[in-house]
Amino acid sequence: LADGVSLYEIDLAVSLEEFVEKLKTVTFQKSLGSVYDKMLRIAAHAKVIQRLLNMSTPEKVHRAAYLCKCDLVSKMVF
């Protein structure tokens, strides 16, 4: 468990926005681009769904979509 705590503490020192930037270096699929590109597609879909369902706010939905893949480049997950 000490290893997990150590990795968690290292990740806390990095902002979520920095993790999002690192997604640009991770290939999702050769023909579909990076995981960052996938996140942008998810954000676009989430915007449409938010408008159709009129739930939450556009800002909160965008933020959730923007951060939805950032854990993939954290020390804990990687």
Side-chain angles (χ1 to χ4, degrees), residues 10-67:
I10 290 169
D11 286 338
L12 285 178
V14 180
S15 72
L16 294 176
E17 284 74 16
E18 288 179 63
F19 284 141
V20 171
E21 285 300 311
K22 289 181 182 180
L23 293 175
K24 293 178 180 179
T25 64
V26 179
T27 302
F28 170 60
Q29 193 174 11
K30 187 177 178 181
S31 62
L32 296 176
S34 67
V35 176
Y36 182 84
D37 297 328
K38 179 180 181 177
M39 178 273 302
L40 291 176
R41 291 189 296 271
I42 290 171
H45 291 281
K47 181 179 179 179
V48 172
I49 292 169
Q50 186 278 326
R51 257 187 286 152
L52 288 172
L53 299 179
N54 196 26
M55 295 177 70
S56 191
T57 65
E59 296 79 19
K60 287 181 180 179
V61 170
H62 175 74
R63 180 79 173 155
Y66 182 75
L67 297 175

Side-chain angles (χ1 to χ4, degrees), residues 1-10 76:
L1 292 176
D3 291 344
V5 171
S6 175
L7 293 173
Y8 175 73
E9 289 172 350
I10 290 169
M76 185 66 116

